[in-house]
Amino acid sequence: GENVEQHPSTLSVQEGDSAVIKCTYSDSASNYFPWYKQELGKRPQLIIDIRSNVGEKKDQRIAVTLNKTAKHFSLHITETQPEDSAVYFCAASNSGPGNTGKLIFGQGTTLQVKP
Amino acid sequence: DGGITQSPKYLFRKEGQNVTLSCEQNLNHDAMYWYRQDPGQGLRLIYYSQIVNDFQKGDIAEGYSVSREKKESFPLTVTSAQKNPTAFYLCASSIWENTGELFFGEGSRLTVL
């Protein structure tokens, strides 16, 4: 079945530095790649997503890149702040009419931003 | 106020007992999902349902059962056949034919004593 691998499992950076989290997926039919942020004790929430027809997407300090040939995508957070500390999950799905649309998640990355 | 409501937030169960977790949504979403979250293993799909009266097994369905009698409700039963039920359970919904974005409930933490 489809598999999503996420690295690293933990990441510690100094405030102001950049953080990069990487994911690889196995199903070449995947076309939707979201990233979720889960703060301690809270529900996961979508922070950014990308579809297979683009290679990069940016939203303020957050960006996601996609390499379909290599089947990997990455989350980049610049100018990190303590409130960025959370668990981040990548996911992949084959989304759209006629498909299941079910998301397969990576194992999660615990990001700690030190003040 | 639209969203997904899970209950109870915390639940304790003795071994051998079945327990049902509630999930209700008023977002008018077609699809609903149950995920299990364990430390270091991400979110693993238990069951999902795209329409009323229909549901499919996810990757770890053994020991669980669901029903989808109403569009807004998708309860999960953790049966005594589930060997390691202590976990954090998340319900989610989506407009499955659209963006694929999942909206999550706040979760239910089940502890087996």
Side-chain angles (χ1 to χ4, degrees):
Chain A
E2 164 131 41
N3 187 46
V4 176
E5 294 287 334
Q6 182 172 348
H7 299 279
S9 57
T10 60
L11 181 59
S12 182
V13 300
Q14 287 295 136
E15 182 177 359
D17 288 350
S18 295
V20 179
I21 303 170
K22 299 180 179 181
C23 289
T24 59
Y25 60 98
S26 60
D27 186 356
S28 57
S30 295
N31 58 11
Y32 177 65
F33 308 93
W35 286 88
Y36 285 80
K37 175 183 179 182
Q38 186 179 28
E39 297 178 9
L40 189 63
K42 296 190 177 180
R43 71 187 82 191
Q45 291 191 305
L46 180 72
I47 56 171
I48 194 168
D49 56 13
I50 192 169
R51 297 197 176 271
S52 56
N53 56 346
V54 298
E56 184 173 0
K57 184 177 180 180
K58 190 173 182 180
D59 182 4
Q60 299 182 338
R61 296 185 298 106
I62 294 173
V64 58
T65 59
L66 171 65
N67 183 329
K68 286 207 71 178
T69 302
K71 290 192 285 187
H72 69 70
F73 56 112
S74 301
L75 177 71
H76 304 254
I77 306 174
T78 58
E79 302 173 20
T80 54
Q81 301 167 4
E83 51 265 39
D84 294 330
S85 297
V87 179
Y88 292 82
F89 293 99
C90 64
S93 76
N94 185 0
S95 182
N99 298 319
T100 64
K102 62 176 184 174
L103 279 174
I104 303 299
F105 285 85
Q107 295 86 348
T109 296
T110 301
L111 173 64
Q112 181 186 28
V113 180
K114 298 178 181 177
Chain B
D1 200 18
I4 300 179
T5 302
Q6 287 186 241
S7 62
K9 193 169 184 178
Y10 300 95
L11 187 61
F12 297 89
R13 188 196 91 177
K14 293 182 179 180
E15 282 193 27
Q17 289 181 336
N18 292 354
V19 62
T20 297
L21 308 180
S22 170
C23 179
E24 304 278 331
Q25 54 102 355
N26 60 6
L27 300 169
N28 199 32
H29 285 172
D30 302 302
M32 297 187 73
Y33 310 79
W34 275 104
Y35 284 89
R36 170 177 170 146
Q37 184 173 16
D38 296 285
Q41 296 194 54
L43 305 175
R44 293 182 291 166
L45 183 63
I46 304 172
Y47 268 97
Y48 64 103
S49 168
Q50 295 166 329
I51 57 173
V52 175
N53 292 323
D54 188 40
F55 47 83
Q56 286 79 40
K57 293 181 179 180
D59 301 317
I60 55 166
E62 185 176 352
Y64 300 97
S65 66
V66 294
S67 63
R68 187 82 186 279
E69 297 177 0
K70 299 185 295 182
K71 186 175 183 178
E72 58 270 22
S73 179
F74 192 41
L76 173 74
T77 297
V78 185
T79 75
S80 57
Q82 168 52 230
K83 300 303 180 188
N84 185 22
T86 295
F88 189 59
Y89 292 89
L90 283 162
C91 179
S93 69
S94 74
I95 308 172
W96 74 281
E97 288 189 347
N98 197 352
T99 66
E101 177 182 358
L102 292 184
F103 294 83
F104 285 91
E106 293 192 336
S108 295
R109 185 167 298 280
L110 172 64
T111 303
V112 174
L113 303 173

